[in-house]
Each structure stands twice: as structure tokens, then as C-alpha cells.
Amino acid sequence: MNLASFGCSFLYGYDGKGGCDKSYSTTYHLSKLMNRNWINKSDCGIGNDLIYERLITSHQRGDINPNDTFIVIGWTQGFRKKVFIDDEVYLTYRPDTDQVDNKELSYYLSNTNLVYYEVLKNIIGVYVFLENYGYDYLMLDTINTTMDECKVEENYIPQELFDMKDGINKYSKLNYYNWIQDKGDKAFISKSDHHPNQWCAEQFSELLYSEIINE
């Protein structure tokens, strides 16, 4: 039996030095609580579109299957995305960096309405996929998907998209990033790096485990 983790550095097990230490991943500790093998499909810096892509490709390749794999999806900052510019592919493009010297593109991709529109489509698409194939799963926000208000109306973001997202029963009310900040320095890798340390990962895994067993 397996537990597969799809998310950014907060689920990956980022060690503060550019590498992966499984003891820093809350889903690793969750897999131990659930007595499952840990499959790490998370990666540093990736966006929600790439999380969706990795879920689909992992299923199609047979790395995961609904008969023996519990899925954890950790949604991340909505501004991150995979983009194609000329002959280059940017897997973790962020509009607020100098990765691409194109201010108009950055302004377009950082539009709050566009960002949250895509966030909702990714969440709903993954939800439909998991339900259709019969996976057991848990979703949560590991980092706030967007900080700003967006326009809710038919020609912008239809209310139905919010309603469908809000109706996902297996979507945790816990926000990993906010929980970490509330715990302060004892939860951080260091004072300058606010990624979760081992203590933090273990503590949060127990909260997730409690949600799963009490569904």
C-alpha cells in the first residue's frame, strides 16, 4: 500500500540546502502513520498546473493506481505555472522574477482573476479525476493559492466554480503555511528559511492523520 504526495517544496521535504530530506516532509510522516510506502511526486517550486500534470502522468505510467494508493494533493501559490516561450519551457515560472524579460507577459500572468480562475480549474479537474478513478485522497492548501480578491461573475469567474470547490468533502481546512507561521521559529528550518523542519512535519502529519481517520 502506498501514499503518493503531489505538491511543492512544503510536501517535497526541502532541506534548506537545495536537496530532499524525507524527515522534513509531512507526507512522509503521514505515510508512516498510515503504514504505507511513501511515493514522492512533489517538487520544489512547481505550480498547480504541474501538480495536475504529474498526477495524470503518474497514473498513466502505472506509478500509482486507485487500488493501493492514497493521494495527497498540496495546492500551492497560484502565480506559479509552466509556460512555453519561444523554444524554452519554464516549469516554475513566476511573474515576480526575472526569469523572462517580458513585462507584459508577467503583468498578464499575475492578473488576480486569471490566477484564481486557473487555480479553481486545476482543483476541480483533479477532483473529478480522482473521483472518476476511485482514488482515496486528501487535498489541502500548503501555501495560499492567491492573496487577493477576485471578481465573481459569469464573464470573470462563475460562482459555480467556487461552489464546486467548496463542496469537496476531502479538502482539509488546514493551511500548512499559515499553521507553520503560527508556530514560529521552532517550526522553521532556520530563521531565514521558513520551510517546515522535522518537528513541524511530524506535528502537522498527526493533524492530517486525524482528519483522514475521522472522515
Side-chain angles (χ1 to χ4, degrees):
M1 301 295 282
N2 302 308
L3 183 150
S5 166
F6 295 84
C8 65
S9 57
F10 276 66
L11 295 189
Y12 174 69
Y14 176 69
D15 63 2
K17 302 174 184 178
C20 175
D21 183 333
K22 63 185 180 182
S23 69
Y24 285 54
S25 171
T26 195
T27 48
Y28 167 72
H29 294 289
L30 179 61
S31 73
K32 305 304 286 185
L33 291 171
M34 298 179 69
N35 195 28
R36 292 172 177 262
N37 298 316
W38 185 53
I39 300 175
N40 192 6
K41 294 291 185 176
S42 299
D43 211 343
C44 293
I46 65 174
N48 297 316
D49 54 353
L50 199 50
I51 290 171
Y52 192 176
E53 175 192 306
R54 288 193 174 183
L55 175 66
I56 293 172
T57 55
S58 296
H59 173 82
Q60 289 298 110
R61 292 168 183 164
D63 296 341
I64 60 173
N65 71 79
N67 296 321
D68 69 7
T69 310
F70 186 93
I71 303 292
V72 177
I73 304 288
W75 299 112
T76 187
Q77 188 179 37
F79 294 99
R80 302 173 180 176
K81 51 180 63 66
K82 178 179 178 179
V83 299
F84 310 87
I85 302 173
D86 297 326
D87 294 326
E88 296 289 335
V89 178
Y90 298 84
L91 296 181
T92 60
Y93 176 74
R94 301 178 184 86
D96 60 346
T97 69
D98 295 325
Q99 287 176 289
V100 178
D101 185 20
N102 188 321
K103 292 183 179 179
E104 289 187 359
L105 176 65
S106 292
Y107 180 77
Y108 166 73
L109 292 176
S110 62
N111 179 279
T112 299
N113 292 295
L114 174 64
V115 168
Y116 209 64
Y117 180 58
E118 293 182 345
V119 167
L120 287 169
K121 288 193 295 180
N122 283 315
I123 291 172
I124 293 169
V126 164
Y127 165 67
V128 172
F129 176 89
L130 293 172
E131 290 287 338
N132 181 65
Y133 282 98
Y135 278 99
D136 199 5
Y137 64 91
L138 180 71
M139 296 186 193
L140 72 149
D141 292 339
T142 53
I143 303 179
N144 297 325
T145 53
T146 184
M147 302 287 191
D148 303 312
E149 295 295 325
C150 52
K151 187 178 290 188
V152 184
E153 63 176 68
E154 190 65 29
N155 290 331
Y156 276 80
I157 308 179
Q159 180 63 47
E160 288 83 358
L161 298 186
F162 291 93
D163 293 342
M164 191 167 186
K165 184 258 185 182
D166 292 340
I168 300 174
N169 293 326
K170 297 179 181 179
Y171 203 123
S172 175
K173 292 181 171 59
L174 295 169
N175 180 301
Y176 197 15
Y177 180 85
N178 292 344
W179 186 87
I180 293 169
Q181 306 314 305
D182 289 342
K183 298 301 175 185
D185 289 349
K186 67 179 181 179
F188 305 150
I189 290 177
S190 67
K191 288 185 177 181
S192 60
D193 191 327
H194 289 191
H195 279 83
N197 59 22
Q198 181 174 343
W199 174 86
C200 176
E202 290 178 342
Q203 294 294 309
F204 196 75
S205 72
E206 293 177 5
L207 297 178
L208 295 178
Y209 182 65
S210 179
E211 284 200 7
I212 291 168
I213 64 175
N214 290 312
E215 283 182 357

